[in-house]
Amino acid sequence: MNSSLRFFAIALLMTFGATTILSPLSSATAFSSASGMAQCAQLRDTSVAQGFTMTSRPAFASPDNVPEFALQPTSGPTSLAFDSRGRLFVGTLSGKILILLDNDDNGFADQVKEYASGLGMVLGITFRNDRELWVTSNIPGGVGRIIRLRDLNNDDVADEQTIIVDNLPSQGDHQTNRLKFAPNGFLFFGQGSATDAGTPAPGRPGETPLNGTIIAINPSDPQLNIYATGLRNPFGMAFNPAGELFAADVGSGELCQNVGGQGCPEDVSPPEEINWIVPGGNYGFPLCEGTPLASRPECSGVRGPLIQYPRHTTPTALAFYTGPQANEFQGQMLVTLLKLAQDRSVGGDLRRVVVQGDQNAGFTLRDDGFIAQFNPIDPFDGPVDVAVDPISGDIYVARLDVVSHCDLHEHHHFIYRIHRFDVLTSYDSDRVPFIGPLIPSSVRVNTRNIKIAVVGKHLKPGAVLFDVTDNIALTTRQGATIFDLEADLPDSLAARALPITLEVRNPDGGASNRRTFGFFVVDPPPPVPPMIDSIFVYKKKRSRVVNPVIAGSSAKKLRLVVDGTDFGAGAEVLINGLSATVESSSSTELICRFLNQVIANPGDVTIQVRRTSDAQTSNIVHLTVSP
């Protein structure tokens, strides 16, 4: 194994909690050490709870249809994210991000695109919008990064990579983990601890102020803000529909398997936990892991967990179950547990957790059992992430296996698709059409020639967009793919100023979830001047954010990014009143070159946008050039 791959394997074992493996738990399951090779073990069938179904062989994605997964133990999936069209993006341990497409809508990936590569160990991916995919990257040498990827020409390849945050402390036992955008636009990510239990092993780094925390940044002004502390390894995290943050925390300690009958010391490791994360919250690591006790002074001010799982089961991901299939489970929490508990009572599965309460009264969590069990072969083979398709509501679970097996080509790198299925009622969500948001979702009253577009799943030839309110079928056309429909809205409906309810109906009578189309009444608005929301500077070649900008820097190496609204087409950027050369332009973002005379000396620099169509200028934003 080369040095880079060795880094990946070791880092992942540290990320999920190093475990001392000494003997098989049973004849049915064979374990191995991180450096050894597992005994021959046959992958067993998965199982699902009543009301759900899942095809495990073949899975949605496996080494059979995703060549990357077949390469080596360090080439498997670590993180999942959907764009608004329901396309699945997959981060991998080998530093690639793949797009897995199901072009014929049969539930199995039939096309793999490489969106990005060379990103180190990718442990988290999330969309800010369809134009921006944000990534946590951990590179050899123990450096964590937050990277923004952009596909500027819509060819499904990221042709811009910008390092937003660099030099995060990921050289210890844990790394820079998952990341999620909050409803207010801030980006949150977990930063693991440097040690197992607070004390560094010989030759290993100790804790820094950033270790064992959840960090928040403003994407347009990426200063690090420590949001919560005392979290050993906050790997999985998610915002609930109301915008409250929850995070899993992996507890300290190792699991002994009693090799050679030598016996094991008493296991005093704390349980795993899920926490409600509040600003400034302290969750106890390393002095008060587990349930905080009033009798222990070191537990003063520590917030207790909402729910606990057996020690060493390693919660790897959280997501909230939303979408058209959630039904009675709408808003419940999905939790993946990587490892089996020592008594094999729980672990290696996808759990469903009931969330009750609110930010005022507080929250309680109740585990309502598994949705799927994945029967791990070894301690580092199990589910690592979960995501919900925003169009269909299908649940996708990534399974990763970093241990070598007897057959070196056998890696349990899978992505499973789980959907609703009820034997008693014969309900099968694969037989039901689903649609996403209408585009547009509303227009001004009396607008003529309205065309509506929608993305769907399980749409059959001849499907129509149906106006339920007026009981009429709209003139419908298939768009660019089998997932796209376009329809015309009669002008007469736009004159009523009343909302209408739309659904898609297949020729066999299957009807989709419903969406509302609205009308608004407005007078012609006065022209809105352009508005700058934020600015930042980065180096062209290294794509690193520059803060501060130093006087005398080479202007040709720097680019100024101006984000805002209502820029219009062909807008200018004025730097100290001088027009700069714009290299990339949209109505919400301008990227331009700097002027040498502007940064030759320290001082205050003014930034303004001038719209070409009506010469209106924006607010003024200031940039400091430091000595």
Side-chain angles (χ1 to χ4, degrees), residues 276-314:
W276 174 30
I277 305 299
V278 300
N282 173 16
Y283 295 87
F285 177 83
L287 300 178
C288 180
E289 288 190 89
T291 302
L293 301 176
S295 59
R296 298 176 57 194
E298 60 269 31
C299 292
S300 176
V302 171
R303 295 182 64 89
L306 297 181
I307 194 171
Q308 295 178 323
Y309 286 102
R311 56 175 66 98
H312 312 304
T313 49
T314 312

Side-chain angles (χ1 to χ4, degrees), residues 279-621:
N282 173 16
Y283 295 87
F285 177 83
L287 300 178
C288 180
E289 288 190 89
T291 302
L293 301 176
S295 59
R296 298 176 57 194
E298 60 269 31
C299 292
S300 176
V302 171
R303 295 182 64 89
L306 297 181
I307 194 171
Q308 295 178 323
Y309 286 102
R311 56 175 66 98
H312 312 304
T313 49
T314 312
T316 49
L318 305 182
F320 281 87
Y321 194 15
T322 57
Q325 291 186 40
N327 298 331
E328 71 273 25
F329 305 131
Q330 190 76 231
Q332 292 190 8
M333 184 188 293
L334 304 175
V335 181
T336 55
L337 299 178
L338 178 77
K339 304 176 187 176
L340 284 168
Q342 192 163 18
D343 64 1
R344 306 181 66 80
S345 60
V346 68
D349 49 13
L350 173 68
R351 312 290 297 181
R352 185 175 64 241
V353 175
V354 176
V355 182
Q356 295 177 314
D358 56 39
Q359 61 177 339
N360 297 317
F363 291 94
T364 60
L365 302 184
R366 184 187 76 244
D367 187 295
D368 254 18
F370 72 87
I371 290 179
Q373 295 178 311
F374 300 102
N375 297 318
I377 295 295
D378 56 62
F380 302 106
D381 163 28
V384 293
D385 203 6
V386 57
V388 180
D389 183 333
I391 306 297
S392 70
D394 289 351
I395 301 171
Y396 287 72
V397 178
R399 176 178 184 161
L400 179 68
D401 179 13
V402 298
V403 175
S404 296
H405 296 275
C406 295
D407 181 354
L408 296 181
H409 299 287
E410 178 191 12
H411 309 300
H412 305 136
H413 300 327
F414 297 96
I415 298 174
Y416 301 100
R417 183 180 68 97
I418 302 168
H419 62 101
R420 299 301 296 272
F421 178 81
D422 192 323
V423 176
L424 298 178
T425 64
S426 299
Y427 174 82
D428 182 353
S429 65
D430 273 0
R431 299 179 181 274
V432 178
F434 296 104
I435 57 172
L438 304 171
I439 304 173
S441 60
S442 61
V443 297
R444 193 162 52 137
V445 111
N446 289 321
T447 301
R448 301 178 63 83
N449 300 319
I450 301 170
K451 298 185 184 303
I452 301 172
V454 67
V455 177
K457 296 288 180 73
H458 313 324
L459 306 178
K460 295 185 177 180
V464 298
L465 198 60
F466 197 87
D467 173 6
V468 178
T469 303
D470 299 287
N471 196 34
I472 59 173
L474 305 184
T475 301
T476 306
R477 301 171 296 278
Q478 184 169 305
T481 73
I482 63 171
F483 305 102
D484 298 276
L485 291 179
E486 299 173 351
D488 301 320
L489 193 68
D491 293 343
S492 59
L493 299 182
R496 300 183 316 189
L498 297 175
I500 59 175
T501 299
L502 301 177
E503 67 184 17
V504 165
R505 293 184 180 178
N506 278 334
D508 61 7
S512 74
N513 53 310
R514 293 179 173 182
R515 300 282 181 175
T516 299
F517 188 87
F519 300 92
F520 53 88
V521 180
V522 293
D523 294 325
V528 177
M531 173 65 69
I532 297 177
D533 293 332
S534 61
I535 62 173
F536 68 92
V537 178
Y538 72 89
K539 283 189 177 181
K540 181 183 178 184
K541 288 187 176 180
R542 301 186 71 182
S543 296
R544 294 191 178 188
V545 173
V546 176
N547 187 15
V549 176
I550 305 299
S553 301
S554 174
K556 69 179 181 180
K557 295 181 179 180
L558 300 179
R559 296 295 182 268
L560 172 67
V561 180
V562 182
D563 288 311
T565 55
D566 298 304
F567 293 166
E572 293 180 277
V573 176
L574 304 179
I575 305 179
N576 279 353
L578 302 174
S579 181
T581 301
V582 175
E583 295 184 332
S584 176
S585 173
S586 75
S587 62
T588 59
E589 182 177 86
L590 301 168
I591 302 177
C592 67
R593 298 184 179 185
F594 256 108
L595 307 172
N596 276 314
Q597 61 266 41
V598 170
I599 58 174
N601 300 299
D604 182 71
V605 175
T606 62
I607 311 296
Q608 205 170 14
V609 170
R610 181 164 60 197
R611 192 163 54 209
T612 303
S613 60
D614 55 10
Q616 288 209 52
T617 54
S618 73
N619 56 314
I620 296 175
V621 177

